[in-house]
């Protein structure tokens, strides 16, 4: 290609010294060819140099990423396209610093796959101040490792212009360092958000419709991903929750915002249809949602199996369930069935009233339930604790069959 380029140049020189009658057209044609040849020549030289420049350096980079950082050969090859190591001194120092502040050998590959040029950072001037900042704010080594391996680009952000201002913003709302740590562990990418452009406008919008500070704190602590939504999406969801009749003054408003942030319109309709199968009207489903928004985030399998047990096996009415919708989120095997078995036996023995609301025994903590419904009646029914643990069945307690108790085999 370079030979042709030289030949073309000589050809143009010859034409200029011995012009033909159509010399203007000929020179124009050669000039165009000359420009194309120059572009091709430059492109060829660039491609050749980028592919073959310093093969030993490239080999060292790949080898270092595999042997010192734990990357797979494929990941190391991919990362090496963004990184060129000459000597091991600086990357060794970076790895040592990261390990000292909580990054484990299992987290390093994930961190470096996303941010391989991290190994070229100045460990003392660039990385240490950021790691020291996190360490000073009640982040444990495990916390730092979890956050940075989940979002390595945090280390590429300015400490003074990004990390500290964002942390101070959270401190102004959550107050306690441990609460901020909890929030950032749930969503490390929060540290990439702009305070003034992203976070402040959303918090301001919530305050303007009457959401109290306690609910805003709950949002940042439990559902920090919601505050990372794009502005249009965030405002659309808040408007939708208001239109569904939820009170911004109540914390369930925040739960509803989170539900709509994770559900598409089609998924929402699918969940509505699941509850309709059990005879609930649209208005009754909305009452269920307003009382317990999380019910719309439950899987179809979870909803169907729990409703089947409570309605068909326990014989409870739908209205009883809509009064205590939180029961739908409880584990069927670990909570609902064992507690219902115990209470059913107590009812049949005449030890508790028949119209006992199931919220009174499904909602309490494990310790409270055992005190109120198991330990209290162990003298009358010594095997009650074993029944609760699943070590004996109701038949072994003297009943003719499980169906007499209102249960059918699951």
């Amino acid at each position: 290609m370079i030979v042709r380029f030289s030949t073309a140049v000589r050809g143009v020189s010859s034409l200029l010294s011995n012009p033909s009658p159509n010399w203007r057209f000929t020179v124009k044609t050669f000039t165009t060819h000359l420009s194309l040849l120059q572009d091709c020549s430059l492109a060829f030289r660039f491609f050749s140099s980028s592919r073959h420049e310093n093969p030993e350096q490239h080999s060292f980079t790949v080898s270092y990423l595999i042997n010192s950082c734990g990357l797979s050969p494929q990941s190391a090859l991919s990362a090496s396209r963004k990184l060129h190591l000459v000597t091991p001194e600086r990357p060794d120092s970076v790895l040592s610093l990261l390990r000292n502040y909580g990054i484990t050998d299992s987290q390093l590959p994930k961190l470096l796959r996303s941010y391989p040029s991290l190994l070229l950072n100045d460990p003392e001037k660039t990385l240490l101040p950021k790691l020291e900042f996190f360490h000073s704010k009640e982040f444990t080594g495990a916390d730092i490792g979890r956050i940075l391996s989940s979002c390595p680009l945090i280390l590429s952000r300015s400490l003074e212009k990004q990390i500290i201002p964002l942390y101070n913003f959270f401190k102004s709302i959550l107050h306690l360092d441990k609460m901020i740590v909890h929030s950032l562990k749930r969503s490390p990418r929060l540290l990439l958000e702009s305070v003034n452009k992203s976070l402040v406008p959303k918090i301001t919008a919530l305050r303007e419709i009457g959401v109290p500070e306690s609910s805003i704190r709950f949002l940042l602590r439990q559902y920090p991903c919601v505050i990372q939504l794009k502005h249009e999406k965030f405002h659309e969801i808040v408007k939708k929750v208001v239109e569904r009749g939820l009170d911004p003054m109540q914390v369930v408003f925040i739960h509803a915002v989170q539900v709509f942030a994770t559900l598409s319109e089609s998924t929402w309709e699918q969940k509505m249809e699941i509850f309709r199968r059990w005879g609930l009207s649209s208005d009754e489903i909305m009452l269920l949602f307003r009382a317990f928004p999380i019910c719309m985030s439950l899987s179809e399998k979870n909803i169907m199996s729990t409703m089947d047990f409570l309605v068909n096996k326990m014989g409870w009415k739908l209205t009883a369930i809509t009064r205590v919708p939180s029961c739908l989120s409880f584990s069927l095997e670990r909570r609902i069935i064992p507690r219902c078995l115990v209470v059913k036996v107590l009812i049949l023995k005449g030890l508790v009233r028949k119209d006992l609301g199931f919220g009174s025994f499904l909602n309490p903590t494990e310790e409270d339930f055992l005190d109120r419904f198991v330990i209290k009646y162990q003298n009358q029914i010594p095997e009650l604790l074993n029944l609760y643990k699943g070590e004996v069945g109701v038949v072994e307690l003297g009943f003719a069959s499980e169906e007499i108790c209102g249960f059918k085999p699951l």
Side-chain angles (χ1 to χ4, degrees), residues 255-315:
H255 286 298
V257 168
Q258 190 273 337
V259 168
F260 276 115
T262 57
L263 290 186
S264 64
E265 286 291 339
S266 60
T267 304
W268 171 269
E269 286 303 320
Q270 289 172 10
K271 297 299 173 67
M272 291 285 288
E273 182 58 32
I274 292 170
F275 286 110
R276 289 191 188 106
R277 292 180 209 164
W278 289 96
L280 292 174
S281 67
S282 294
D283 288 341
E284 288 172 327
I285 298 171
M286 286 312 302
L287 286 174
L288 193 72
F289 174 71
R290 292 189 193 108
F292 188 63
I294 297 172
C295 70
M296 300 300 278
S297 293
L298 301 174
S299 69
E300 179 177 356
K301 179 181 178 181
N302 182 294
I303 296 170
M304 294 297 289
S305 58
T306 302
M307 292 289 283
D308 177 63
F309 179 79
L310 295 176
V311 175
N312 296 332
K313 295 181 173 64
M314 286 298 297

Side-chain angles (χ1 to χ4, degrees), residues 2 8 22 52 82 139 159 175 191 198 225 227 231 237 271 286 291 302 324 355 369 377 381 401:
I2 296 177
N22 297 321
H52 300 293
K82 306 173 185 177
F139 288 85
L159 178 62
H175 305 308
L191 285 164
S198 178
C225 287
I227 211 69
H231 289 285
I237 288 172
K271 297 299 173 67
M286 286 312 302
N302 182 294
V324 192
D355 61 348
F369 176 81
Y377 299 104
I381 311 176
S401 71

Side-chain angles (χ1 to χ4, degrees), residues 58-223:
H58 183 263
S59 176
F60 170 73
T61 301
V62 173
S63 176
Y64 187 89
L65 290 171
I66 294 172
N67 298 323
S68 298
C69 305
L71 273 70
S72 67
Q74 184 178 1
S75 296
L77 187 62
S78 176
S80 69
R81 298 190 183 105
K82 306 173 185 177
L83 176 71
H84 297 287
L85 301 178
V86 179
T87 63
E89 284 76 20
R90 172 160 289 191
D92 280 350
S93 298
V94 169
L95 293 181
S96 177
L97 181 65
L98 292 174
R99 289 184 174 112
N100 286 340
Y101 278 86
I103 302 291
T104 65
D105 287 343
S106 63
Q107 292 169 336
L108 270 176
K110 184 178 180 182
L111 193 154
L112 293 173
R113 279 195 299 268
S114 300
Y115 185 26
S117 59
L118 173 65
L119 292 173
L120 299 178
N121 280 212
D122 187 313
E124 295 296 324
K125 294 181 180 179
T126 304
L127 298 179
L128 181 60
K130 297 170 187 176
L131 295 170
E132 271 296 310
F133 175 80
F134 289 124
H135 184 68
S136 69
K137 300 298 182 181
E138 296 192 18
F139 288 85
T140 66
D143 295 336
I144 294 173
R146 176 177 174 179
I147 290 172
L148 294 183
S149 62
S150 297
C151 186
L153 288 179
I154 292 169
L155 291 174
S156 71
R157 298 300 192 263
S158 167
L159 178 62
E160 292 76 17
K161 296 179 181 179
Q162 173 67 25
I163 297 175
I164 291 177
L166 189 139
Y167 193 92
N168 289 340
F169 172 76
F170 270 73
K171 187 69 175 282
S172 69
I173 298 174
L174 297 177
H175 305 308
L176 300 176
D177 286 331
K178 64 180 181 180
M179 294 299 181
I180 303 173
V181 173
H182 177 82
S183 180
L184 293 179
K185 283 168 62 178
R186 293 182 73 89
S187 183
R189 294 189 67 84
L190 269 174
L191 285 164
L192 303 181
E193 294 290 321
S194 168
V195 172
N196 294 324
K197 294 180 180 180
S198 178
L199 302 183
V200 169
K202 294 166 189 170
I203 297 299
T204 300
L206 292 176
R207 287 169 174 160
E208 287 176 349
I209 63 172
V211 176
E213 291 300 306
S214 59
S215 291
I216 292 175
R217 283 194 293 273
F218 180 80
L219 172 66
L220 294 182
R221 191 174 65 249
Q222 296 300 123
Y223 305 128

Side-chain angles (χ1 to χ4, degrees), residues 383-402:
E383 293 293 317
L384 198 57
L385 181 59
N386 292 331
L387 173 68
Y388 178 70
K389 292 180 177 180
E391 296 173 357
V392 299
V394 290
V395 175
E396 295 166 278
L397 295 182
F399 297 99
S401 71
E402 289 188 347

Side-chain angles (χ1 to χ4, degrees), residues 17-58:
S17 60
N18 300 294
S20 67
N22 297 321
W23 68 274
R24 290 178 181 170
F25 174 79
T26 306
V27 170
K28 182 179 179 181
T29 302
F30 268 100
T31 303
T32 302
H33 289 174
L34 176 62
S35 176
L36 291 172
L37 287 168
Q38 285 177 313
D39 290 343
C40 290
S41 177
L42 289 171
F44 178 79
R45 286 198 298 268
F46 174 78
F47 176 79
S48 298
S49 63
S50 63
R51 184 174 182 181
H52 300 293
E53 182 181 9
N54 298 326
E56 292 183 1
Q57 176 182 327
H58 183 263

